[in-house]
Amino acid sequence: MERSVHSNLITPIRLKALTCKIFIGIFSAAITGYALADVSSWVSTTAPDITPDPGAAGTLSTYGLEYSVGANSSTIGQHGILVGPTDAFGAQEAIKRPLVVFVHGDHARCLIDGVPSDPNPYVSCPPANRVPSYKGYLGLQRRLATRGYISISIDANEIARNATALQAAPDAHISLLKSWTDSRLAPNLFLFGAAQNTDFSKVVLVGHSVGAVAVNDAAFQNKIQQASGTSMPVWNPVGQILISGGGSEQQAATLGVHTLNWLSECDNVNVAAQGMLDKDIHHDYVTLRSSILVRGANHNYSNSVWTDDDDDYGQVTNKIQKGLECGFVDANGQPITNTVRLSLNDQQTITKSYFTAAVAAFVSNDVNAWKAIDGTPGHLPSSGVAGATGPEIRVSGKGRRRNDFVQISLDTLNVAASNPDVMTANLCDSSSCTSAAGISGAQRSQFWIAGSSSAVSVKWTGLGSKVSLAHKSTVDGGLLGVMPAHRQLGLRIAQLPSTGALTQSPISLNVTIRDIGSHTLDLGTVTVNPLVSLANTGPIWAQEVRVPVPAAKGFDFTSIVSLDLTPLSPSTGQIWVSDAFGYLPN
């Protein structure tokens, strides 16, 4: 059910598919998901379902309203849309509800005769022509509300090209909502109720593109203020979801903010987001750093206003986006059109499922939610039906560890192949890794290793050899690190993708560790599945794999000398090992 209520707080603006004027409406309790066929998990097409599903729609009815404060003839002020469970807008509840804040990217902001336009100043764009990008997350906001969360989506059109103002926007809007806990300051009872029932100690920030940079900066500055103790902010960031935000180093993760990077295959910003996983390698052992790569996903389809399928703005997308977001070119240097890209409905289904799960992990430590985003093999039923073809979701986690078992470094690690006749193994950085492998152009920009990070490059032309990794030291070849028993050894390993020109096979590797007393412990086998690229070239993605570490009488887990990887199949292959670490399930 939906109803309209007039309020002098609200200013007229174009509203797609809801009503032609601003509303305060009750959204229906049930969220109808779009059918999505053939979604395979990152590890195999038979990954187990994660149930209960932390990304599915909940049972609560939802309520939404727009707010606009400080608006006059020359500005739109602090404008946005707030959605939450219906009960959250009434009397104060016994348990406060976590808050999710959305900041959209720098899309075209104005339509003049159906053509994208960016007038300067922005306020010269007639209100009826302003593109409401902030409404592009309504479906996700409603999904979150059915599970008990309050959310606001900030209208960033006026400030999207002002980095300072954009970074300040999350704090400004959250502080505004906080001020409404005082009934004398709240514009109406609805906003007073929502403010009263918001838990400002549990805030998750979601940003797209330049919006991702903004929310990361906002979270970072918030944590810096908390550490200084001189100016305590009124809210606390517990997590951030960065959608295709390649320009940021995601530094907030270093200060204890759980970070999930949401990467579209057709973006050229993936390398920066993947590089985030390798920064500050001595970070704490409980903060998540994870990347999810979605095969066939579009840079802008997480926002429903900016899609080919949008009723009002499809012409905009067709003119400036279709076929251009994949950063790949053919042999003649011509852009490759991704003809099997995910549709709006498909990508929205995946986005709502995984983002809702991420919020549950960040604010309530939901065990199943962690499984969905930290690299554990699994499939969220609400994201679609698992299958052998179609869109593919890859998760590469680097967080919630208990120790960094192997810190791969050009200065500290020894790498050796047991049979150089059939195997070459060496350390490389991002430049030498790609050069040695003959990787260039668009594929190089999609390489999974960035900055000063290092990797172990391994290539074999026959079976029967192993690669050994050990830290340099004067003690028996070096101590690799401590690997506690009853945990799991996690590794991030990449291989070339399957493309239209070349089909790659899954690579199976046997994993062993050896202690200072020359005792060898066989941990079992891991399999690295190739990413299936939609173009002639594709991203080289480090997949996380894990093996259990059993207790073993007589094995010295405190003094491990080497980690050995032995290819079992195929007979020829190539991998890059990014790191190895001790993983303890949540």
Side-chain angles (χ1 to χ4, degrees), residues 407-414 426-430 432 452-455 472:
Q407 299 171 18
I408 292 177
S409 168
L410 296 175
D411 298 326
T412 62
L413 200 65
N414 282 318
N426 59 277
L427 280 161
C428 58
D429 58 20
S430 58
S432 59
S452 59
S453 301
S454 305
K472 297 176 181 178

Side-chain angles (χ1 to χ4, degrees), residues 101-313:
V101 179
F102 292 84
V103 181
H104 65 76
D106 182 17
H107 307 285
R109 300 173 291 169
C110 188
L111 287 184
I112 303 298
D113 296 326
V115 178
S117 174
D118 288 303
N120 188 19
Y122 167 70
V123 292
S124 65
C125 177
N129 295 82
R130 295 171 181 170
V131 182
S133 295
Y134 67 100
K135 293 175 184 169
Y137 303 107
L138 270 173
L140 179 52
Q141 287 185 272
R142 293 168 182 159
R143 171 67 62 86
L144 291 168
T146 67
R147 296 189 70 93
Y149 306 121
I150 294 172
S151 67
I152 57 176
S153 182
I154 296 170
D155 184 352
N157 272 345
E158 186 182 18
I159 57 175
R161 296 175 189 181
N162 182 327
T164 301
L166 196 60
Q167 182 250 307
D171 181 73
H173 281 251
I174 297 170
S175 296
L176 180 66
L177 180 60
K178 176 71 172 180
S179 73
W180 294 339
T181 58
D182 185 337
S183 61
R184 297 168 298 177
L185 301 177
N188 57 41
L189 290 177
F190 296 107
L191 292 173
F192 170 65
Q196 282 281 309
N197 291 317
T198 297
D199 186 350
F200 293 95
S201 70
K202 293 182 178 180
V203 176
V204 177
L205 303 176
V206 182
H208 169 246
S209 199
V210 296
V213 179
V215 300
N216 174 69
D217 287 342
F220 180 73
Q221 293 301 324
N222 181 289
K223 288 295 188 181
I224 291 295
Q225 291 179 37
Q226 290 190 43
S228 69
T230 57
S231 176
M232 293 301 290
V234 300
W235 58 283
N236 176 57
V238 295
Q240 57 181 351
I241 302 173
L242 308 177
I243 310 169
S244 301
S248 171
E249 293 184 352
Q250 288 100 41
Q251 55 198 352
T254 69
L255 298 179
V257 179
H258 297 304
T259 299
L260 174 65
N261 287 278
W262 186 259
L263 309 176
S264 302
E265 182 188 13
C266 295
D267 278 344
N268 59 7
V269 299
N270 291 341
V271 63
Q274 272 287 76
M276 178 277 302
L277 296 176
D278 299 307
K279 292 184 180 296
D280 185 31
I281 201 164
H282 295 290
H283 68 279
D284 65 85
Y285 299 146
V286 296
T287 301
L288 177 81
R289 298 179 180 203
S290 184
S291 290
I292 293 182
L293 178 68
V294 184
R295 178 177 179 257
N298 174 290
H299 181 79
N300 290 318
Y301 273 21
S302 58
N303 187 310
S304 64
V305 168
W306 285 93
T307 68
D308 292 337
D309 298 344
D310 188 279
D311 294 337
D312 290 337
Y313 302 100

Side-chain angles (χ1 to χ4, degrees), residues 263-275 325-329 430 434 439-450 537-540:
L263 309 176
S264 302
E265 182 188 13
C266 295
D267 278 344
N268 59 7
V269 299
N270 291 341
V271 63
Q274 272 287 76
E325 42 302 278
C326 276
F328 303 123
V329 295
S430 58
T434 53
I439 298 168
S440 61
Q443 191 173 34
R444 181 168 183 168
S445 73
Q446 300 282 334
F447 200 60
W448 55 274
I449 189 169
T537 59
I540 295 175

Side-chain angles (χ1 to χ4, degrees), residues 19 203 350 409 477 557:
T19 160
V203 176
I350 296 172
S409 168
F557 288 97

Side-chain angles (χ1 to χ4, degrees), residues 42-65:
W42 68 281
V43 65
S44 74
T45 58
T46 57
D49 282 347
I50 299 174
T51 56
D53 186 343
T59 59
L60 301 177
S61 62
T62 69
Y63 193 89
L65 72 159

Side-chain angles (χ1 to χ4, degrees), residues 511-555:
V511 183
T512 60
I513 52 178
R514 181 168 59 90
D515 70 8
I516 198 168
S518 297
H519 303 105
T520 299
L521 183 60
D522 188 346
L523 302 183
T525 302
V526 295
T527 300
V528 183
N529 294 297
L531 182 70
V532 180
S533 175
L534 298 177
N536 291 341
T537 59
I540 295 175
W541 178 259
Q543 175 182 323
E544 183 171 331
V545 291
R546 301 179 190 146
V547 286
V549 180
K553 187 176 181 179
F555 192 88

